[in-house]
Amino acid sequence: MSSEPLAETMTPQQTTKSRARRGRRWVACLCAIGAGLTAALAGGGAARAEDKAGAVALFREAGELIDAGQPARACPRYEESLRLYDSINTRYFLADCYERIGKMASAWAHFLEVAARVRASGDREKEARARERAAAVQPKVSRLTVVVEDASTPGLEVKRGGTPIGPGQWGVPMPVDAGTHVIEASAPGKRTWTARVEVGPGGATSTLVVRPLEDGPASGDAGGAGAGRRTLALVTGGAGIVTVGVATALGFAARSRFDESSAFCNGDRCDRRGMDIRDSAVARANVATVVFGVGLAAIAGGGVLWLTATSPTKGASVGLTPTVGGALVRGSF
């Protein structure tokens, strides 16, 4: 049956009822959506209320620390209180705390932020107070100028304390808190450059020059691997030389021990004491021989590593297996 005959058989009353049912369903859906949004907003409001309560507690604790003459401990409380709940009052007292501990740039910025916000609210008295504090702090704000010599380096990024310094700030005296600042410059294919600069208090100015970055090792370059292999060669060869020295000392000790048996022997005929001494000497000599062989093998392995250090293709592998009376060196290139 086509849709047209069906439409013809539907009376106006039936059409009205159908529309009414659809309308009720839409109202029910909207109510459900509204209820969900209300619940979500209620949950968010509860979370914000908890944050605000925590912010108030931290604000009070910070005030007590200020009264106790401990602003260095109070400032982190104010900072966390402001993070939990952004209050103009908290921001003002944080700026005051920064001024107390000598962070003049941070204090100046927060006083100006407070002035701008209270101006928007129409409180001229608080705005004037915040601007007075900012004006009093401004002459004490220290500044740092970061000069970048090769600003055209592709992908160059300069950071201060991990925060990017945009090109617009290069060569401009920027307000900073007094103290030590770490400047880092990096770019693709270049070696990272890092420097520390000390900025004095009381409105001091400092300048740091970022030199052109040096080229870094090319990707996939065998030079780095070769240098590492040469270092390994020196370590292995050095260990071999030390081992040979130890083996030589053991050999002399064995010889000295063998000589002690002369008092108890007549040629190759010895009593029990003489035989024990000679057995001990032979055992030491055997150990010396094994150690000497291991040392020689290590020296040989170090030589192999050194000679193959510059090979850009297949790497060299050296295996060292102690054997009776020496050692076996196995290598592949």
Side-chain angles (χ1 to χ4, degrees):
M1 180 182 296
S2 67
S3 59
E4 293 179 356
L6 181 61
E8 292 175 357
T9 59
M10 183 177 295
T11 64
Q13 184 178 7
Q14 289 174 323
T15 304
T16 302
K17 289 181 179 180
S18 177
R19 290 176 179 173
R21 283 196 297 270
R22 286 198 297 270
R24 284 196 295 270
R25 284 198 295 270
W26 274 109
V27 171
C29 290
L30 290 174
C31 289
I33 295 173
L37 291 174
T38 301
L41 292 174
R48 286 194 295 272
E50 290 178 0
D51 289 345
K52 187 174 181 179
V56 171
L58 288 168
F59 180 86
R60 291 175 178 173
E61 184 176 348
E64 293 174 358
L65 290 171
I66 290 291
D67 294 339
Q70 302 179 49
R73 295 182 58 196
C75 290
R77 267 72 167 183
Y78 280 132
E79 291 171 349
E80 184 62 12
S81 176
L82 187 66
R83 188 188 70 81
L84 291 174
Y85 185 75
D86 192 347
S87 163
I88 294 178
N89 197 39
T90 302
R91 189 176 294 276
Y92 180 87
F93 280 94
L94 176 58
D96 175 80
C97 188
Y98 281 152
E99 183 181 4
R100 291 172 185 265
I101 64 175
K103 298 181 69 171
M104 298 303 178
S106 296
W108 182 52
H110 280 292
F111 279 135
L112 290 177
E113 177 69 15
V114 170
R117 291 195 181 188
V118 295
R119 177 181 178 82
S121 65
D123 193 333
R124 300 300 183 184
E125 183 179 350
K126 288 184 178 180
E127 179 192 357
R129 189 182 311 133
R131 294 195 182 280
E132 286 176 4
R133 296 293 300 273
V137 168
Q138 185 176 5
K140 306 174 186 177
V141 175
S142 301
R143 297 178 184 273
L144 173 63
T145 303
V146 177
V147 178
V148 181
E149 287 193 342
D150 192 2
S152 61
T153 302
L156 178 62
E157 185 177 36
V158 182
K159 295 181 180 180
R160 176 173 63 83
T163 301
I165 302 176
Q169 300 181 40
W170 298 350
V172 179
M174 297 299 296
V176 296
D177 291 324
T180 302
H181 296 268
V182 178
I183 308 299
E184 180 182 283
S186 61
K190 301 290 185 179
R191 296 184 184 276
T192 299
W193 181 90
T194 304
R196 293 177 179 271
V197 57
E198 188 71 25
V199 180
T205 59
S206 299
T207 300
L208 180 70
V209 178
V210 179
R211 304 296 182 186
L213 302 184
E214 298 178 357
D215 291 334
S219 177
D221 184 13
R229 191 175 299 169
R230 284 191 291 271
T231 301
L232 180 59
L234 292 175
V235 172
T236 303
I241 293 173
V242 172
T243 303
V244 168
V246 172
T248 302
L250 289 173
F252 279 115
R255 178 64 183 177
S256 177
R257 181 63 172 167
F258 189 87
D259 291 342
E260 292 177 9
S261 67
S262 299
F264 307 96
C265 298
N266 182 11
D268 293 334
R269 300 182 63 183
C270 304
D271 59 15
R272 173 56 58 184
R273 179 69 182 276
M275 292 179 63
D276 291 342
I277 293 174
R278 288 195 173 185
D279 289 343
S280 174
V282 171
R284 292 187 183 185
N286 290 336
V287 172
T289 301
V290 173
V291 174
F292 189 82
V294 172
L296 288 179
I299 294 173
V304 170
L305 287 172
W306 183 271
L307 293 174
T308 60
T310 57
S311 174
T313 54
K314 185 178 178 181
S317 62
V318 177
L320 182 62
T321 305
T323 62
V324 177
L328 174 63
V329 179
R330 294 175 291 102
S332 63
F333 308 92

mmCIF file of all heavy atoms in Angstrom, residues 222-223 225-227 229-230 305-314:
data_model
loop_
_atom_site.group_PDB
_atom_site.id
_atom_site.type_symbol
_atom_site.label_atom_id
_atom_site.label_comp_id
_atom_site.label_asym_id
_atom_site.label_seq_id
_atom_site.Cartn_x
_atom_site.Cartn_y
_atom_site.Cartn_z
ATOM 1 N N ALA A 222 77.321 7.115 11.913
ATOM 2 C CA ALA A 222 78.024 6.041 12.612
ATOM 3 C C ALA A 222 79.109 6.575 13.505
ATOM 4 O O ALA A 222 79.733 5.812 14.245
ATOM 5 C CB ALA A 222 78.653 5.079 11.593
ATOM 6 N N GLY A 223 79.362 7.914 13.462
ATOM 7 C CA GLY A 223 80.427 8.475 14.287
ATOM 8 C C GLY A 223 80.171 8.274 15.758
ATOM 9 O O GLY A 223 81.080 7.990 16.535
ATOM 10 N N ALA A 225 78.377 5.896 17.195
ATOM 11 C CA ALA A 225 78.588 4.489 17.539
ATOM 12 C C ALA A 225 80.074 4.162 17.541
ATOM 13 O O ALA A 225 80.570 3.393 18.372
ATOM 14 C CB ALA A 225 77.842 3.596 16.556
ATOM 15 N N GLY A 226 80.828 4.754 16.567
ATOM 16 C CA GLY A 226 82.257 4.490 16.514
ATOM 17 C C GLY A 226 82.967 5.007 17.738
ATOM 18 O O GLY A 226 83.867 4.353 18.282
ATOM 19 N N ALA A 227 82.565 6.195 18.205
ATOM 20 C CA ALA A 227 83.187 6.755 19.400
ATOM 21 C C ALA A 227 82.899 5.873 20.609
ATOM 22 O O ALA A 227 83.783 5.629 21.442
ATOM 23 C CB ALA A 227 82.661 8.176 19.637
ATOM 24 N N ARG A 229 82.339 2.683 20.513
ATOM 25 C CA ARG A 229 83.105 1.441 20.372
ATOM 26 C C ARG A 229 84.579 1.659 20.730
ATOM 27 O O ARG A 229 85.224 0.805 21.328
ATOM 28 C CB ARG A 229 82.971 0.914 18.941
ATOM 29 C CG ARG A 229 83.508 -0.497 18.764
ATOM 30 C CD ARG A 229 83.227 -0.999 17.367
ATOM 31 N NE ARG A 229 81.795 -1.049 17.112
ATOM 32 C CZ ARG A 229 81.279 -1.255 15.916
ATOM 33 N NH1 ARG A 229 82.060 -1.408 14.860
ATOM 34 N NH2 ARG A 229 79.979 -1.298 15.753
ATOM 35 N N ARG A 230 85.111 2.827 20.373
ATOM 36 C CA ARG A 230 86.493 3.110 20.745
ATOM 37 C C ARG A 230 86.661 3.220 22.257
ATOM 38 O O ARG A 230 87.659 2.775 22.820
ATOM 39 C CB ARG A 230 86.953 4.402 20.058
ATOM 40 C CG ARG A 230 87.277 4.221 18.582
ATOM 41 C CD ARG A 230 87.973 5.447 18.022
ATOM 42 N NE ARG A 230 87.075 6.593 17.959
ATOM 43 C CZ ARG A 230 86.293 6.873 16.923
ATOM 44 N NH1 ARG A 230 86.291 6.070 15.864
ATOM 45 N NH2 ARG A 230 85.529 7.936 16.939
ATOM 46 N N LEU A 305 88.128 -4.174 18.612
ATOM 47 C CA LEU A 305 87.106 -3.135 18.721
ATOM 48 C C LEU A 305 87.626 -1.797 18.196
ATOM 49 O O LEU A 305 86.908 -1.053 17.517
ATOM 50 C CB LEU A 305 86.660 -2.991 20.179
ATOM 51 C CG LEU A 305 85.787 -4.109 20.737
ATOM 52 C CD1 LEU A 305 85.591 -3.944 22.234
ATOM 53 C CD2 LEU A 305 84.428 -4.122 20.042
ATOM 54 N N TRP A 306 88.863 -1.482 18.505
ATOM 55 C CA TRP A 306 89.434 -0.226 18.044
ATOM 56 C C TRP A 306 89.558 -0.177 16.520
ATOM 57 O O TRP A 306 89.233 0.823 15.888
ATOM 58 C CB TRP A 306 90.800 -0.018 18.699
ATOM 59 C CG TRP A 306 91.427 1.298 18.326
ATOM 60 C CD1 TRP A 306 92.231 1.559 17.254
ATOM 61 C CD2 TRP A 306 91.253 2.533 19.003
ATOM 62 N NE1 TRP A 306 92.588 2.884 17.233
ATOM 63 C CE2 TRP A 306 92.000 3.516 18.303
ATOM 64 C CE3 TRP A 306 90.557 2.915 20.140
ATOM 65 C CZ2 TRP A 306 92.066 4.834 18.707
ATOM 66 C CZ3 TRP A 306 90.618 4.236 20.554
ATOM 67 C CH2 TRP A 306 91.362 5.177 19.838
ATOM 68 N N LEU A 307 90.015 -1.285 15.956
ATOM 69 C CA LEU A 307 90.219 -1.316 14.509
ATOM 70 C C LEU A 307 88.913 -1.265 13.739
ATOM 71 O O LEU A 307 88.872 -0.800 12.598
ATOM 72 C CB LEU A 307 91.006 -2.572 14.116
ATOM 73 C CG LEU A 307 92.469 -2.620 14.598
ATOM 74 C CD1 LEU A 307 93.079 -3.968 14.266
ATOM 75 C CD2 LEU A 307 93.285 -1.491 13.986
ATOM 76 N N THR A 308 87.853 -1.762 14.312
ATOM 77 C CA THR A 308 86.560 -1.792 13.607
ATOM 78 C C THR A 308 85.645 -0.658 14.037
ATOM 79 O O THR A 308 84.482 -0.625 13.654
ATOM 80 C CB THR A 308 85.849 -3.138 13.863
ATOM 81 O OG1 THR A 308 85.625 -3.288 15.279
ATOM 82 C CG2 THR A 308 86.682 -4.294 13.359
ATOM 83 N N ALA A 309 86.153 0.271 14.837
ATOM 84 C CA ALA A 309 85.295 1.337 15.374
ATOM 85 C C ALA A 309 84.751 2.239 14.278
ATOM 86 O O ALA A 309 83.668 2.790 14.401
ATOM 87 C CB ALA A 309 86.075 2.162 16.391
ATOM 88 N N THR A 310 85.499 2.419 13.200
ATOM 89 C CA THR A 310 85.065 3.341 12.147
ATOM 90 C C THR A 310 84.270 2.669 11.048
ATOM 91 O O THR A 310 83.912 3.298 10.068
ATOM 92 C CB THR A 310 86.305 4.012 11.507
ATOM 93 O OG1 THR A 310 87.182 2.995 11.000
ATOM 94 C CG2 THR A 310 87.050 4.844 12.538
ATOM 95 N N SER A 311 83.981 1.380 11.181
ATOM 96 C CA SER A 311 83.229 0.677 10.143
ATOM 97 C C SER A 311 81.785 1.135 10.152
ATOM 98 O O SER A 311 81.095 1.001 11.155
ATOM 99 C CB SER A 311 83.296 -0.838 10.378
ATOM 100 O OG SER A 311 82.467 -1.511 9.461
ATOM 101 N N PRO A 312 81.251 1.707 9.058
ATOM 102 C CA PRO A 312 79.880 2.209 9.045
ATOM 103 C C PRO A 312 78.859 1.149 8.704
ATOM 104 O O PRO A 312 77.684 1.422 8.657
ATOM 105 C CB PRO A 312 79.925 3.296 7.952
ATOM 106 C CG PRO A 312 80.924 2.758 6.976
ATOM 107 C CD PRO A 312 81.947 1.998 7.780
ATOM 108 N N THR A 313 79.331 -0.044 8.401
ATOM 109 C CA THR A 313 78.375 -1.070 7.958
ATOM 110 C C THR A 313 78.082 -2.029 9.075
ATOM 111 O O THR A 313 77.374 -1.732 10.007
ATOM 112 C CB THR A 313 78.941 -1.809 6.734
ATOM 113 O OG1 THR A 313 80.250 -2.317 7.051
ATOM 114 C CG2 THR A 313 79.090 -0.843 5.558
ATOM 115 N N LYS A 314 78.656 -3.174 9.001
ATOM 116 C CA LYS A 314 78.338 -4.212 9.961
ATOM 117 C C LYS A 314 79.190 -4.054 11.198
ATOM 118 O O LYS A 314 80.386 -3.851 11.118
ATOM 119 C CB LYS A 314 78.572 -5.591 9.334
ATOM 120 C CG LYS A 314 78.140 -6.744 10.225
ATOM 121 C CD LYS A 314 78.344 -8.062 9.522
ATOM 122 C CE LYS A 314 77.955 -9.246 10.404
ATOM 123 N NZ LYS A 314 78.174 -10.530 9.744
#
